[in-house]
Amino acid sequence: MRDVAVIGVGCTEFGEHWSTSFRDLFVNAGALALEDAGISGEKIDALYVGNMSAGRFVEQEHIGALIADYAGLATKNVPSTRVEAACASGGLAFRQAVIAVASGMEDVVVAAGVEKMTDVGTGASVDMLASAADREWEGFAGATFPGLYAMIANDYMNRYPLTREQLAQVAVKNHENGAKNPIAQFRNRISVDTVLSSSLVADPLRLFDCSPITDGAAAVVVVPLERAHEFTDSPVRVLASAQASDTISLHDRRDISTLDATVAAGKRAFDLAGLSHKDIDLVEVHDCFTIAEICAIEDLGFCKKGEAGKLTAEGVTALGGKIPVNTSGGLKACGHPVGATGIKQICEVVTQLRGDAGARQVDAEIGMTHNVGGTGATVVVHILGV
Amino acid sequence: MSVSRFWRKIPQRYNLVGTQCTNCGRHFFPPRSLCPDCRRSGHIVDHQFNGEGTVVTYTVIRSASDQFEHTTPYVLAIVELDEGPRLTAQVACLPEEAKIGMRVHSVFRRVAADGESGTIHYGTKFVPSE
Ligand SMILES: [Zn+2]
């Protein structure tokens, strides 16, 4: 297997793009990534596009071909593949690109993620997101995505010492980071009171515990490490790529508030890289809801089960803390265009490792990303380093 | 949900019929046709559950998809049946009555409808036993 490096990243602003179409979002992110990598489109050997549900959000399928076409690559006959794993689609698209390059099959590969979510109403998008869980046995009963995570939160809070205030601190911290990120959907600081006085969505989760509905796209360019210096002086190495599955339904899990797929993918990634949690300088975790970040920190091994709330309240996971979590603002403040999120996480870690993160810069040589599909049925973890 | 997709599951939804692996004895609901432990050496038969169970965790849904919007707030729970398997279902009780560990039993209720004149979906809900 060949070593793989990221040589360019690009991300649209995340938010409500009323006047930009699905295809334009992608093209904008792709152009930024190619410009950053200093390459032209003709050099691209293959495309992998993470997208959860264009078929329902914008009534368009055959996304691989559409993206290749509007990226100007159709007449070059560049192979383009759509990758779907609900909210982990982006992370999985990156993993496919890494596998393609590592195997020797392809040399210059673009991994992208895109989602256009605001073309439909809130009730409809709630229903589409619920399809990341088991439609016939969870959705049928009236389960929403926030509802499933709320059941994780209630189970967790029943068994471990986590206060409602500590949970709110996750959102407060991520808004603090988002305020320093020019692409973030929300760049306003909030207080614990803001979270606790927001409307209940699914008890105990309130509006400010939830990631928003977002439009956005992100793209990265990967090449074999041995060729990286043809393109850039600051390649970022992919030290590990790991993926794991678990049951599609939350009710079938061994332990409702431990995501076994996170535990498995995290362990595999650490083993592949020959590293432990002590070596990680920053981590982008999948905080679709505040409770998800609490579980992720623990399931990846950064602390014992039941301790993440206290750590968050003490500032351990803040910028400048021992293990900065979600320097981008996370899904909560940066926004969560479901198919794009996993690629945005890679963009953030690469930006941090290159020292280009401006006001949110942390001192980092090794970073980790953690991207979850559904309530934990798919988890993709990457470790990157300089 | 399409009519055929709903009708296909009627025995399970109306009667809480799941399956059991006679090789290892494990019960399944929702039904499975392959035992994840015994795999192809397992033998799967139908199993009628008695409908008694315990709430493992729950939430109160305040903001729902369009199909369920008119029924909010409603209590949604993961219920562990006495035979072992767990399922997601609504508990027909007041939000403040719901708690982890409460004993419940299954009832046959209207779950949702496809709009004003669409198919009405019936299925299993739970009610408090004590
Ligand atoms: Zn068996």
Side-chain angles (χ1 to χ4, degrees), chain B residues 17-22 26 28 31-32 43-48:
Chain B
V17 173
T19 52
Q20 183 181 18
C21 172
T22 56
R26 195 171 153 191
F28 305 105
R32 287 177 187 268
H43 179 61
I44 301 289
V45 297
D46 283 350
H47 179 85
Q48 170 77 56

Side-chain angles (χ1 to χ4, degrees), chain A residues 45-60:
Chain A
D45 294 323
L47 279 169
Y48 289 91
V49 183
N51 173 253
M52 173 176 167
S53 200
R56 294 195 69 204
F57 282 120
V58 295
E59 296 180 348
Q60 176 71 58

Side-chain angles (χ1 to χ4, degrees), chain B residues 20-26 28 34-39 41-44:
Chain B
Q20 183 181 18
C21 172
T22 56
N23 193 45
C24 68
R26 195 171 153 191
F28 305 105
L34 177 74
C35 174
D37 295 332
C38 308
R39 305 190 53 77
S41 57
H43 179 61
I44 301 289

Side-chain angles (χ1 to χ4, degrees), chain B residues 26-82:
Chain B
R26 195 171 153 191
H27 292 87
F28 305 105
F29 195 93
R32 287 177 187 268
S33 53
L34 177 74
C35 174
D37 295 332
C38 308
R39 305 190 53 77
R40 279 188 299 160
S41 57
H43 179 61
I44 301 289
V45 297
D46 283 350
H47 179 85
Q48 170 77 56
F49 289 95
N50 69 18
E52 303 286 332
T54 306
V55 169
V56 176
T57 185
Y58 74 95
T59 183
V60 183
I61 306 281
R62 312 269 176 180
S63 174
S65 65
D66 291 340
Q67 211 186 10
F68 290 90
E69 197 55 60
H70 66 287
T71 51
T72 59
Y74 55 91
V75 176
L76 184 81
I78 291 179
V79 174
E80 182 168 301
L81 299 173
D82 288 352

